[in-house]
């Protein structure tokens, strides 16, 4: 089995790259999806978040009011408090799911999509070096990343000037909390550039896939 971490900044196109790898046969684990599951009512992570951030982050139906939680975390410099709750549980669950996949398919290539592989302080004693055999970075120009964030946040495209300014400021705050791409690239095995048409990213993924297959075979032999 080959354990691959795929990372990149806000709006870089990590999920798009993962969908392309999935089409080739990779098993994809999304850190965001795992975290969302752990933040559902009844989960210990949910209880810890409500206890720490108060009733304002809870909707009438009991689910977390995620936009308010995100605004509190990023606007009032409480992201570390939130991460201290979410990250350890998410990483533990990633490891559990990876082990389950390995038991079912010893030759599997498991790709964990996570924006904060390098940023998190909760990856265990050796952090990402222990959890992954290979690392992939997805990059894109910052202007394009912010534009993608706006499109994702307001898919109907209707934004007032004030809303646009607020969302752009939010995106820039999030980007500022992440390690710059040039520093991440020095730690990664492969870099995918996603600043052009989808076909360019598809070509890069197609070129990289045989290298991952070869690495998986070597890993299995050792």
């Amino acid at each position: 089995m080959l354990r691959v971490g795929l990372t990149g900044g806000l709006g870089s196109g990590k999920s798009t790259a993962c969908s392309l790898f999935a089409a080739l046969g990779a098993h994809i684990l999304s850190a965001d999806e795992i975290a969302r599951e752990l933040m559902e009512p009844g989960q210990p992570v949910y209880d810890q978040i409500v206890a720490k951030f108060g009733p304002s982050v809870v909707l009438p139906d009991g689910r977390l009011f995620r936009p308010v939680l995100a605004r509190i975390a990023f606007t009032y410099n409480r992201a570390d408090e939130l991460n201290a709750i979410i990250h350890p549980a998410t990483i533990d669950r990633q490891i559990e799911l990876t082990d389950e996949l390995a038991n079912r398919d010893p030759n599997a290539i498991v790709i964990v999509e996570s924006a904060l592989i390098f940023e998190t302080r909760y990856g265990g004693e050796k952090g990402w070096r222990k959890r992954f055999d290979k690392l992939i970075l997805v990059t894109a120009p910052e202007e394009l990343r912010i534009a993608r964030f706006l499109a994702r946040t307001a898919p109907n495209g209707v934004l007032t000037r004030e809303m646009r300014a607020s969302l752009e400021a939010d995106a820039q705050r999030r980007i500022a909390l992440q390690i710059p791409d040039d520093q991440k690239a020095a730690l990664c095995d492969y870099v995918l550039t996603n600043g052009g048409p989808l076909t360019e990213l598809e070509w890069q993924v197609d070129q990289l896939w045989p290298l991952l297959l070869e690495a998986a075979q070597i890993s299995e032999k050792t």
Side-chain angles (χ1 to χ4, degrees), residues 3-4 103 134-135 214:
R3 305 167 301 167
V4 181
N103 289 333
K134 298 291 182 181
L135 289 169
E214 181 179 2

Side-chain angles (χ1 to χ4, degrees), residues 39-50:
M39 293 164 69
E40 288 296 316
Q43 297 289 336
V45 168
Y46 170 93
D47 294 337
Q48 293 175 51
I49 290 173
V50 175

Side-chain angles (χ1 to χ4, degrees), residues 7-204:
T7 193
L10 177 80
S12 59
K14 297 181 296 297
S15 296
T16 301
C18 281
S19 67
L20 296 173
F21 280 116
L24 294 172
H27 300 272
I28 308 298
L29 298 176
S30 167
D32 284 347
E33 290 181 5
I34 292 171
R36 280 194 289 270
E37 292 174 2
L38 295 174
M39 293 164 69
E40 288 296 316
Q43 297 289 336
V45 168
Y46 170 93
D47 294 337
Q48 293 175 51
I49 290 173
V50 175
K52 174 70 72 173
F53 291 89
S56 66
V57 302
V58 181
L59 289 164
D61 65 3
R63 292 179 297 115
L64 289 176
F65 197 175
R66 298 179 190 278
V68 169
L69 180 60
R71 185 166 65 249
I72 292 172
F74 289 104
T75 304
Y76 299 101
N77 296 320
R78 299 188 65 184
D80 283 346
E81 295 177 53
L82 183 60
N83 291 341
I85 297 171
I86 297 174
H87 286 190
T90 300
I91 290 170
D92 286 346
R93 184 59 178 151
Q94 287 172 14
I95 294 172
E96 289 176 5
L97 293 172
T98 299
D99 289 344
E100 290 175 9
L101 287 168
N103 289 333
R104 295 202 302 267
D105 181 6
N107 297 314
I109 294 177
V110 181
I111 298 179
V112 174
E113 175 195 347
S114 174
L116 303 176
I117 286 176
F118 298 114
E119 288 84 352
T120 185
R121 303 194 303 254
Y122 305 100
E125 182 181 354
K126 296 183 179 178
W128 54 268
R129 292 177 179 85
K130 183 176 180 180
R131 293 190 291 129
F132 301 113
D133 304 306
K134 298 291 182 181
L135 289 169
I136 300 171
L137 174 67
V138 183
T139 68
E142 183 172 313
E143 182 178 344
L144 178 57
R145 291 164 56 194
I146 293 175
R148 289 171 177 163
F149 175 77
L150 294 179
R152 184 174 67 209
T153 308
N156 58 8
V158 179
L159 288 172
T160 65
R161 181 178 300 178
E162 292 77 13
M163 291 171 60
R164 177 176 292 275
S166 177
L167 287 173
E168 288 178 346
D170 184 22
Q172 289 166 349
R173 278 193 298 270
R174 297 183 187 214
I175 290 172
L177 292 172
Q178 297 177 338
I179 297 171
D181 280 352
D182 58 346
Q183 295 182 33
K184 291 180 180 178
L187 299 170
C188 288
D189 301 281
Y190 314 105
V191 177
L192 302 175
T193 57
N194 187 30
L198 178 60
T199 51
E200 292 184 4
L201 182 61
E202 290 174 337
W203 182 86
Q204 294 173 73

